Amino acid sequence: MTIPSVYPSGQTAAHSGVPGATALRLNKYSVGTGDRFAHQAKAQLQACLLASQQGVEVTPVWNKSNREHTIIGSEPTSTRQAADAAVKALHWEKPYFCDADHITLQTVDRFLAPCDFYTIDVADAIGQHAPASDIDQFVNRHPELLGKIQLSGIDEAFGITAEHLKNTAEKFLAAVKQAGKVYRKIESAKGAGNFIPEISMDETDRAQSPVELLIILAAIADEGIPIQTIAPKFSGRFNKGVDYVGDVAQFEKEMALDVAAIAYAVRQYGLPDNLKLSVHSGSDKFSIYPAIHATMRRFDAGVHLKTAGTTWLEELIGLAEADGDGLALAKQIYAEAFAHADELCAPYATVIDIDPTKLPSPQEVAVWTSEQYTSALRHVPGSPAYNSSLRQLLHVGFKIAAKMGHRYLDLLEANEAIIAKNVTENLYQRHIAPVFLGQRSI
């Protein structure tokens, strides 16, 4: 049985760049808005409304992974319900989506009914060898990839040898075929064109080159996956909830090359004409936001910026700012996170860098004022009080709040106004405005 697609108000199927295909169409600019506890959808949507008032349409995509649902004890339907309620309350009449974030063949089932955006994660399959016959067929199918390739807007040409093509296929073809299996499972349940597919390859050992990306896109086209976003791995560190660590100029060069490779693949292979880059772990990467904006303007390209856990941190900041019971709870969450740091950090070991010597003791935090707590946690580059190690620990510490159950949720509701102000301000002024409007972050 086909699961009916949930179409937002005013949202209908639109023509994609794949010949003969119709699909829900992701806007040129979109933002992934994570909401661990499904309480900040209105505050997040308000940030998109502020962008709209500035003449820029940024589509909200509420994303929550299977791991996060499992930790919190929630179901994907809760994300859909929160998004729908926010849209109704704020009279949003533009597209919006719910993302089954980082799903696999094993975890996709629970997301089939409520979601209409699927981030298909194949990072674990990268490096697994496809059958030799599949690799040979792929190489023989794509003689156009051999020799010199000139990407539009890029001065240098790229050469691809038969050996390079085969080696790249050996590394990535199995992963793409795995994505095809996941895509077809979703398609069989949702119906063609009733969801937006993304492929994620960011959680792997090294950045993909633009040539590798181009070869990967050819394989994706062969699999018949009409992806609208793709998340490659860039060089540098994309740690959770803190700024980018790496060479900003190199990042900008890589992004430009990737955007040009995508444009080439769209023309060459008939992939959707709105196919764009997705920047994962994109929250708080303030130092690269000007580069992202400049590249989008240079190529007239779109981007999908994922900003997952930053909302949960703004909840903590709002609670601490409220003082009283809110501050007391925020201090307790830090104390518990400090005590269980190894357990909390283990699943995120590759995307956090915490210096234990920079973590204040729970006893020290226990006597902090509201201002001290919020100044240490709030990501204000250059602030002497800002503590990136504390912020990263609390970023992965949402499991502590989840175990508190109604005690935490009741305080969210009791302090809704101050929390919402922080969530909206953070998402709009620190993320949406610098990336999509080219304004300076606060």
Side-chain angles (χ1 to χ4, degrees):
M1 178 183 293
T2 298
I3 297 173
S5 176
V6 182
Y7 284 93
S9 174
Q11 183 171 334
T12 58
H15 185 63
S16 79
V18 177
T22 59
L24 287 179
R25 187 176 179 87
L26 187 61
N27 187 41
K28 185 175 184 178
Y29 304 141
S30 53
V31 60
T33 54
D35 191 0
R36 298 284 194 263
F37 297 97
H39 273 61
Q40 307 309 324
K42 281 199 298 183
Q44 293 167 326
L45 186 56
Q46 184 63 42
C48 294
L49 280 167
L50 291 174
S52 183
Q53 291 167 9
Q54 296 297 316
V56 176
E57 183 177 339
V58 179
T59 298
V61 181
W62 279 277
N63 53 266
K64 192 169 178 180
S65 69
N66 187 69
R67 176 168 62 185
E68 290 157 6
H69 280 297
T70 301
I71 289 172
I72 290 172
S74 57
E75 289 294 330
T77 51
S78 64
T79 304
R80 166 61 65 184
Q81 290 165 356
D84 288 348
V87 164
K88 182 177 180 180
L90 297 183
H91 308 289
W92 180 262
E93 296 183 349
K94 298 174 181 178
Y96 67 100
F97 300 95
C98 287
D99 177 10
D101 193 18
H102 286 285
I103 50 92
T104 64
L105 202 59
Q106 291 72 38
T107 60
V108 67
D109 285 343
R110 68 193 301 207
F111 295 91
L112 291 175
C115 292
D116 49 12
F117 188 119
Y118 292 83
T119 299
I120 302 171
D121 190 337
V122 295
D124 288 345
I126 293 174
Q128 296 179 11
H129 281 200
S133 58
D134 288 351
I135 294 170
D136 290 341
Q137 286 174 15
F138 175 79
V139 171
N140 293 334
R141 192 183 301 121
H142 292 287
E144 81 286 349
L145 286 169
L146 297 174
K148 291 289 185 181
I149 291 180
Q150 184 69 55
L151 302 177
S152 180
I154 303 298
D155 293 336
E156 58 185 308
F158 296 90
I160 303 179
T161 65
E163 182 182 14
H164 189 183
L165 181 58
K166 183 177 181 180
N167 289 343
T168 303
E170 287 177 343
K171 182 170 184 180
F172 294 102
L173 191 59
V176 173
K177 287 189 173 295
Q178 181 70 15
K181 292 178 182 177
V182 181
Y183 170 78
R184 285 185 286 277
K185 183 170 185 176
I186 301 167
E187 184 184 50
S188 68
K190 305 289 289 187
N194 290 331
F195 61 98
I196 292 173
E198 169 178 301
I199 291 181
S200 166
M201 294 184 164
D202 63 303
E203 295 186 358
T204 186
D205 58 344
R206 66 172 182 82
Q208 294 94 36
S209 71
V211 168
E212 287 175 330
L213 181 61
L214 182 57
I215 296 169
I216 290 166
L217 290 170
I220 289 170
D222 286 351
E223 279 292 304
I225 310 172
I227 59 167
Q228 296 188 40
T229 70
I230 185 165
K233 180 178 178 63
F234 298 99
S235 63
R237 294 281 295 181
F238 283 75
N239 291 332
K240 296 290 186 181
V242 294
D243 207 350
Y244 173 78
V245 179
D247 185 334
V248 174
Q250 176 63 24
F251 168 83
E252 186 168 6
K253 179 181 180 181
E254 289 177 11
M255 184 175 180
L257 290 168
D258 286 349
V259 168
I262 287 173
Y264 184 97
V266 166
R267 294 190 301 270
Q268 184 73 31
Y269 303 115
L271 290 165
D273 60 8
N274 64 328
L275 174 58
K276 62 183 181 177
L277 284 176
S278 180
V279 181
H280 282 202
S281 295
S283 63
D284 297 270
K285 304 301 179 285
F286 302 145
S287 62
I288 61 172
Y289 288 170
I292 293 175
H293 182 77
T295 303
M296 288 194 299
R297 286 180 61 86
R298 175 182 167 188
F299 290 92
D300 190 23
V303 76
H304 181 59
L305 182 76
K306 281 203 169 181
T307 64
T310 187
T311 290
W312 138 250
L313 294 177
E314 293 303 319
E315 288 181 340
L316 275 185
I317 288 169
L319 288 174
E321 204 168 54
D323 217 335
D325 291 342
L327 176 59
L329 187 72
K331 290 177 178 179
Q332 183 182 346
I333 289 172
Y334 177 75
E336 291 289 331
F338 186 92
H340 298 90
D342 291 343
E343 169 195 339
L344 294 171
C345 293
Y348 300 93
T350 61
V351 286
I352 54 175
D353 281 319
I354 295 174
D355 182 350
T357 67
K358 300 291 179 62
L359 292 173
S361 69
Q363 294 75 21
E364 182 181 350
V365 173
V367 296
W368 274 1
T369 63
S370 171
E371 172 65 24
Q372 285 175 301
Y373 192 105
T374 59
S375 295
L377 180 54
R378 184 177 280 124
H379 190 179
V380 180
S383 168
Y386 168 59
N387 187 322
S388 65
S389 291
L390 174 142
R391 183 175 172 87
Q392 289 178 86
L393 176 60
L394 286 172
H395 190 288
V396 301
F398 65 94
K399 185 177 183 179
I400 304 299
K403 288 181 177 179
M404 293 178 172
H406 283 291
R407 183 183 171 207
Y408 179 75
L409 299 179
D410 288 348
L411 277 173
L412 289 187
E413 292 166 9
N415 296 283
E416 179 183 357
I418 192 169
I419 291 171
K421 177 180 179 295
N422 279 284
V423 170
T424 300
E425 181 180 273
N426 174 63
L427 185 56
Y428 178 71
Q429 296 191 15
R430 295 190 180 94
H431 295 83
I432 289 175
V435 172
F436 300 110
L437 283 75
Q439 299 177 2
R440 289 190 63 184
S441 174
I442 61 172

